[in-house]
Amino acid sequence: MEMNIIQEKLLEFNSDLSTQQIRDFYTKKSFLEIVSKSRNEATHSAFLAWLLQGEEFTNDDAPLLRFLDILVKNSQGIDSPIVSDDALKAAILSRTLELAEVKAVTEQTVKYISTIPSRDRLDIYLTATLAKPVSGKKYLRIIIENKVFSEEMIANEKVPRNVSGPSMDSLNKAQFTGKEAYLKLHQTQRYYSAVVEHPEDKGYNDEAFTIFVFLTPSGSRPTDPHFIPVTYQDLMDYVLDPLVADTGLEHTVKTYLSEYISALSVPSISDSDNEFTVLAVSADERERLEKFWKKYEAIIIEAANSNKAKGSEAKDLVLQKFYEKNQPLFMAIYHIMPDKAAVLKQYSTRDYTKYTLKFDGAVLGEHLGKRAVILTAAKALCDGGYNLPAIDSHNRAFFFNEQAFEERHAQRLLSDDAYKNRYTMIETARGRFAICNQWGVGNWDFVDVLLDCAPGKFELISE
């Protein structure tokens, strides 16, 4: 593309009012990103608990009723009362389900609702009274396990994991009893067991519909078959988009919703994998991006090619600056329309590398980001009896056994933010260990130190 054509296209791009609007949307940080919480699971859980509790909404536009529509849609093949009880499903679909005294809390400890003494926490624990009983039930209870980046925690590999189970119903009850048995289960199995099979208030359990939800960006299925998979895109399509379009909503509430939609839609970079992610996108934004791509595809691809080649001609410098300036917008196009804009990923200045990790010739994991490489390698080292380094090259604590981790937090040697967000608890043959999960671009060299703990055993292959 000649310089005069490039100049003409960029002048058109810069003067296009619709371009300015869409570029502003995707290049400005959302409020959650400003406070470094745009991909924080606890932050998303807190907002969703507020939303589903619905104090700012009327019964007609109650977000919880819209959320129940999603559960009906996604529940096929799931062992859930929303499938087995026709009266409940009919009440949801006909909007005759009347809810009162809705309460949603986050980080609810299992110990609070169960006879099992566990530190496990339910991300969102929602309870509601049914104004009119349905099938003899007086209450509704929803348990949501929320995963933004992480995967379901696996307690003990001796318990098989597959897409649909096993559930407690299929396990030997004589073998799996008490806390020891509870800790052998996968994360969703533990939550189901704690909430349904060991309730302190059996009377409440008998009178309540209890529904389990597994919320992820991709809609992946959990281990336990009682959990209904839900995506953030489902939330956008069935809850957020319809609500924000409601002209009767109070202005402040609509602002909250718009900010949250922005946090989901605008590409945000992962602290751990140095990769842009989009959790969900509204219908309006998808349409705007498709029109934008159709209009400016040629100049964007030209800029991507120039950025890849790093040429030094005057036109190359212009194109490279243009690409760098608008990269968040281009990453949004890639994530939302990957079939049309895959070229943008190939030429990104961000590191999208995925890895296959082997140990003693056996594949430990494929398509792993940096964070997943660290955690997978750490577990393999623990299982194999190797010693892990205590600190990284930045003198940050890396590795604690569970007792030491809890004690450091109790003694205020570990901040609440670090305790909740900067470590991941892994299950190993030697017990539970807290592993630092903050491995961004500036710290990736530490993987060499980690892999060197077992010389010659690891093989890391970039894909």
Side-chain angles (χ1 to χ4, degrees):
M1 190 177 291
E2 297 299 323
M3 184 61 182
N4 63 325
I5 298 176
I6 292 173
Q7 178 176 302
E8 180 183 336
K9 291 291 184 182
L10 291 184
L11 288 173
E12 179 187 359
F13 183 96
N14 291 333
S15 61
D16 188 333
L17 180 59
S18 63
T19 295
Q20 295 300 319
Q21 292 172 340
I22 201 170
R23 181 165 60 182
D24 286 348
F25 181 81
Y26 285 105
T27 56
K28 288 182 179 178
K29 292 183 176 182
S30 67
F31 177 75
L32 290 184
E33 189 164 21
I34 290 172
V35 296
S36 301
K37 297 292 184 182
S38 61
R39 295 298 180 261
N40 179 272
E41 286 176 0
T43 300
H44 284 276
S45 294
F47 182 87
L48 294 174
W50 167 82
L51 182 69
L52 295 178
Q53 188 162 301
E55 292 180 338
E56 307 292 337
F57 302 86
T58 66
N59 289 334
D60 291 337
D61 61 19
L64 180 54
L65 295 178
R66 298 176 186 275
F67 185 70
L68 287 169
D69 286 343
I70 300 173
L71 302 188
V72 170
K73 179 180 74 75
N74 292 6
S75 61
Q76 185 175 358
I78 305 298
D79 186 357
S80 172
I82 218 165
V83 175
S84 60
D85 195 291
D86 291 337
L88 175 61
K89 182 185 292 186
I92 292 171
L93 293 176
S94 64
R95 280 289 197 274
T96 57
L97 189 69
E98 296 183 28
L99 303 172
E101 301 175 11
V102 179
K103 183 179 181 181
V105 297
T106 60
E107 299 292 311
Q108 178 65 70
T109 59
V110 163
K111 184 178 180 181
Y112 178 81
I113 58 171
S114 173
T115 56
I116 298 173
S118 168
R119 291 192 181 98
D120 275 342
R121 295 175 182 268
L122 309 176
D123 290 333
I124 300 176
Y125 183 72
L126 183 147
T127 58
T129 300
L130 302 182
K132 296 179 181 179
V134 177
S135 297
K137 304 280 189 180
K138 299 179 181 179
Y139 308 102
L140 174 69
R141 175 166 54 179
I142 300 177
I143 289 85
I144 302 176
E145 175 59 18
N146 181 22
K147 299 292 186 186
V148 174
F149 280 124
S150 59
E151 297 180 355
E152 181 181 353
M153 291 175 60
I154 299 173
N156 190 321
E157 293 297 343
K158 293 180 181 179
V159 180
R161 185 181 196 276
N162 56 57
V163 170
S164 60
S167 70
M168 284 293 289
D169 298 333
S170 64
L171 298 173
N172 185 326
K173 296 296 182 66
Q175 179 184 0
F176 292 94
T177 58
K179 183 178 179 181
E180 181 180 354
Y182 177 82
L183 293 177
K184 291 179 182 290
L185 299 173
H186 301 296
Q187 191 175 15
T188 52
Q189 291 172 320
R190 296 201 303 272
Y191 295 170
Y192 177 78
S193 174
V195 173
V196 172
E197 304 218 0
H198 300 281
E200 287 188 348
D201 187 352
K202 188 176 186 300
Y204 179 88
N205 191 63
D206 290 341
E207 293 185 320
F209 291 110
T210 302
I211 302 173
F212 296 85
V213 178
F214 195 61
L215 175 62
T216 65
S218 64
S220 59
R221 282 184 174 266
T223 303
D224 191 274
H226 301 91
F227 280 75
I228 300 172
V230 172
T231 68
Y232 275 89
Q233 190 63 53
D234 289 329
L235 289 174
M236 180 72 80
D237 294 341
Y238 287 85
V239 182
L240 298 171
D241 261 354
L243 284 174
V244 82
D246 185 347
T247 56
L249 272 187
E250 199 272 327
H251 175 72
T252 302
V253 175
K254 186 167 287 192
T255 299
Y256 293 159
L257 293 172
S258 297
E259 276 294 323
Y260 188 66
I261 287 174
S262 176
L264 297 181
S265 302
V266 174
S268 182
I269 194 165
S270 156
D271 289 336
S272 54
D273 282 350
N274 190 38
E275 180 171 338
F276 277 119
T277 59
V278 171
L279 296 182
V281 61
S282 69
D284 286 345
E285 285 307 317
R286 188 181 300 276
E287 183 178 355
R288 288 174 64 194
L289 276 182
E290 287 177 347
K291 290 180 179 178
F292 173 84
W293 176 251
K294 183 177 181 180
K295 189 172 185 179
Y296 293 109
E297 177 181 358
I299 188 64
I300 293 172
I301 291 178
E302 187 77 11
N305 281 320
S306 179
N307 187 69
K308 170 75 172 179
K310 300 300 181 187
S312 57
E313 293 184 19
K315 68 175 186 177
D316 291 317
L317 297 179
V318 170
L319 289 169
Q320 289 161 26
K321 290 292 184 182
F322 168 70
Y323 187 85
E324 181 181 343
K325 169 70 175 179
N326 294 283
Q327 190 173 347
L329 169 57
F330 299 157
M331 288 304 97
I333 295 171
Y334 163 70
H335 278 282
I336 295 168
M337 304 183 301
D339 56 324
K340 299 179 180 178
V343 65
L344 298 179
K345 176 178 178 179
Q346 179 183 354
Y347 297 152
S348 171
T349 58
R350 295 288 181 181
D351 182 4
Y352 285 86
T353 308
K354 296 295 182 182
Y355 300 88
T356 295
L357 182 65
K358 294 183 178 181
F359 186 80
D360 261 350
V363 175
L364 294 180
E366 298 177 298
H367 313 301
L368 303 178
K370 294 175 178 179
R371 175 177 180 271
V373 168
I374 292 286
L375 296 178
T376 304
K379 175 174 168 50
L381 290 170
C382 290
D383 288 343
Y386 295 90
N387 293 322
L388 275 72
I391 59 173
D392 68 6
S393 56
H394 297 267
N395 202 37
R396 295 184 309 178
F398 172 73
F399 171 81
F400 295 107
N401 63 43
E402 183 178 26
Q403 181 178 349
F405 183 66
E406 297 292 346
E407 288 176 353
R408 287 181 66 86
H409 180 237
Q411 296 167 7
R412 313 307 300 168
L413 298 174
L414 199 64
S415 70
D416 288 341
D417 177 66
Y419 177 77
K420 292 180 180 179
N421 303 318
R422 299 183 181 277
Y423 287 83
T424 297
M425 192 69 70
I426 63 171
E427 302 283 347
T428 78
R430 293 160 57 188
R432 289 161 61 87
F433 291 90
I435 305 296
C436 180
N437 60 31
Q438 302 296 296
W439 305 108
V441 65
N443 309 312
W444 182 230
D445 59 333
F446 183 64
V447 73
D448 296 328
V449 178
L450 181 67
L451 302 186
D452 285 345
C453 292
K457 295 288 186 180
F458 284 107
E459 184 179 3
L460 187 63
I461 306 166
S462 61
E463 300 175 1

